[in-house]
Amino acid sequence: MIKGNLTGRIGRLAGDSRPERVLVAASFVNRVGNGLFNAASALYFTLVVGLPAVQVGAALTIAGVIGLCAGIPGGHLADRRGARTIMMSALAVQAVSMAALVLVESWAALTIIATVDQIAAAAGGAAWGALVVRVGGERPALFRAKLRTFVNLGVVLGTVGAGLALAANTRGAYVTLILGNAASFALCAVLLLLLPRYPVLAAPPQQRRWPVLADRPFLAFTALYGAMGLQYPVVSLLLPIWISEHTEAPRWMVAALFAVNSLFCVLMQTGIGSRIETPHDGGLAFRTAGLLFLVSCPMMALAAYTPVWAAAGLVLAAIFVHSLGEVWESSAAFALGFGLAPDHAQGQYQGVFGLGFSAGQALAPAILTTVVLGLGTTGWLLLAVFFAALGAVGPSLARWGMRTRPQPGVAAEVTG
C-alpha cells in the first residue's frame, strides 16, 4: 500500500497526463546523459586522446558557433513537419555523433563530429520547445516547472556518475561516460515514440514566412534574457575562481556550491514556477530575479573580507539567494518565451530564443573573467546593478509584448 501511494505521488509530480510523463521521462534520461558527459568531456580529449587543451577549446568553439545557426531553421522545420519528428531525428544524429567521439584521434575529427552534434542539438532544442508547448496542455506553466525540476535532478545524478569515472581516471571509464550519453540520446528518441502525433498547426493566411524576425518585443526579450543568462556562469565559473583566489573559504566549497545550487532549484522550481503562467506574470518574475541577483552578488563579493567559516556561510547564503533568482528567471523565460510566441510558429520562436541565450553564454566567460574579476569587488557590484537593471525592464516589456499580440477577435477575422 505504501509503495503504491509513493508511486502515485511520483507519477503526479512527473505529470498529469501520459504525454507529460513521457516527456518528463525523456528529458530526465537525456539530462542524466548530459551530466555524465559534460563533467568529463574536456579531460577525455586532453588526458586520454592527448589533444592540446587549446585545440580542444578551438574545436568546441567552432562547433558551437556553427551550431548556433541551426536553431532557427530547425525550429521552422519543426513547425512545418512536426516537432516530434524533428526532435527524434536530431536525437538520433546526436546518438551517432556522440558514440563516434570514442573514435576521435585528431583535431579535425573532433571538430567535424562536434559540429554535427551541435547542429543537431540546436535544431533539436528548438523542436523540443515546440513539443513542450503541445504537451503542456491547459497548465503549461505547471508542466514546465515540473519538467525543469526533473531536468535539474537528471543533471545532478549524471554529474555524480561522472565523478565516479573521474575518480577511476581510466580510458574505459571515460569511454563509458561518452557511450552512456550516446545511449541516453537513443533512449530519449525511443521514448518520444510514445507521444501522440500532434498535427501541424497552419499559419494564418498571408503571414510572412519568418514572423519572429519582425516581432520586436520578442526579440527584445530574447536579448534581455541572453544578457541575464550571465548569472549561470556566475555559479559555474566566476564564483569558484573568486572562492579559490580571494576568500578564506575551504576549497571543498567549490564542489558544495554546485550541489546546493542544483538542490535548491529542484526543490523550489515547481512551487514557484507553477504560479507564473502569463506574460504579465513573467515580466514581474523577471524583475524579481533581477532584485535577487542584486542581493546575491554583493554577498559573494563580501566573502573576500570575512574569516574562513564566515566566508563559507556567506557563500552558501549567497548561493541560496542566487538559486532563488535562477528559479524566478527561468520561470519568467517560460512565461514570456513561450507566451509571446504564436502556437503555429513555436519552433522558429524557440530557435531564436535559444540563439540569444547561447550567444550570451558564449560571451559570458570573457565578460565575467575580465570585467568582474578584473575590477574585483567593484566588478561584483556592477554586475549586481546590471542584473537589477535588466530585470526592471521585464514588466514594461511584457506589457509591450501583449499589446502587439493579435487580439482574439482580429485573429478570428483573419482566419475566418
Side-chain angles (χ1 to χ4, degrees):
M1 185 68 177
I2 294 177
K3 182 178 179 181
N5 290 337
L6 180 61
T7 303
R9 289 181 63 185
I10 294 175
R12 287 190 295 273
L13 180 61
D16 298 325
S17 66
R18 184 170 181 265
E20 287 187 6
R21 289 190 287 272
V22 168
L23 200 59
V24 165
S27 62
F28 176 77
V29 167
N30 183 237
R31 293 304 176 145
V32 169
N34 291 162
L36 289 173
F37 177 72
N38 292 340
S41 58
L43 293 179
Y44 171 77
F45 295 120
T46 55
L47 299 181
V48 177
V49 179
L51 294 176
V54 173
Q55 289 189 7
V56 173
L60 298 181
T61 299
I62 292 171
V65 170
I66 295 176
L68 287 177
C69 304
I72 300 176
H76 181 68
L77 197 60
D79 292 329
R80 303 280 65 85
R81 295 289 182 265
R84 190 189 76 155
T85 299
I86 301 304
M87 186 66 216
M88 289 176 60
S89 299
L91 288 167
V93 172
Q94 286 190 275
V96 174
S97 61
M98 187 59 55
L101 287 177
V102 301
L103 304 177
V104 165
E105 295 182 354
S106 67
W107 176 81
L110 174 60
T111 303
I112 293 171
I113 295 173
T115 299
V116 171
D117 176 76
Q118 288 302 302
I119 290 173
W128 186 267
L131 197 57
V132 168
V133 172
R134 302 301 295 272
V135 173
E138 297 180 356
R139 293 292 307 277
L142 177 60
F143 172 60
R144 292 166 198 153
K146 291 178 177 180
L147 188 63
R148 192 167 190 272
T149 296
F150 279 89
V151 161
N152 285 328
L153 184 59
V155 171
V156 171
L157 294 179
T159 303
V160 170
L164 297 176
L166 289 174
N169 196 31
T170 64
R171 180 183 181 89
Y174 287 113
V175 168
T176 299
L177 292 180
I178 294 174
L179 294 181
N181 192 23
S184 77
F185 287 123
L187 179 56
C188 185
V190 171
L191 287 172
L192 294 186
L193 287 172
L194 301 176
L195 291 177
R197 288 181 175 272
Y198 294 101
V200 173
L201 300 178
Q206 300 180 344
Q207 179 172 297
R208 59 193 306 162
R209 181 179 178 87
W210 300 98
V212 66
L213 300 181
D215 193 335
R216 290 184 293 173
F218 185 85
L219 294 176
F221 180 66
T222 297
L224 282 179
Y225 185 66
M228 188 76 94
L230 264 68
Q231 64 89 6
Y232 289 101
V234 165
V235 176
S236 62
L237 174 67
L238 183 60
L239 187 56
I241 297 175
W242 184 257
I243 288 174
S244 62
E245 296 184 359
H246 298 277
T247 77
E248 298 296 326
R251 295 294 177 88
W252 56 261
M253 286 293 300
V254 173
L257 67 89
F258 287 108
V260 171
N261 174 247
S262 298
L263 180 61
F264 281 156
C265 290
V266 167
L267 294 176
M268 295 184 294
Q269 185 70 58
T270 300
I272 293 174
S274 62
R275 303 197 302 268
I276 303 170
E277 298 188 359
T278 66
H280 173 73
D281 298 335
L284 297 177
F286 201 66
R287 182 176 64 188
T288 300
L291 293 175
L292 287 166
F293 297 142
L294 179 64
V295 175
S296 66
C297 289
M299 292 173 68
M300 295 175 187
L302 288 174
Y305 304 96
T306 57
V308 54
W309 293 112
L314 194 57
V315 168
L316 283 175
I319 283 295
F320 172 78
V321 177
H322 199 87
S323 301
L324 197 58
E326 180 180 330
V327 172
W328 282 97
E329 184 216 21
S330 64
S331 300
F334 289 146
L336 284 163
F338 289 112
L340 294 180
D343 290 340
H344 69 275
Q346 281 286 351
Q348 65 171 267
Y349 270 69
Q350 299 316 311
V352 169
F353 199 58
L355 174 61
F357 178 76
S358 298
Q361 295 301 289
L363 296 174
I367 295 173
L368 295 178
T369 55
T370 57
V371 178
V372 180
L373 284 180
L375 295 175
T377 300
T378 301
W380 279 103
L381 296 179
L382 289 175
L383 184 64
V385 173
F386 175 70
F387 285 144
L390 291 175
V393 181
S396 58
L397 191 146
R399 290 192 294 270
W400 179 28
M402 292 310 297
R403 284 198 307 270
T404 55
R405 298 308 95 177
Q407 299 302 312
V410 175
E413 182 179 332
V414 172
T415 58

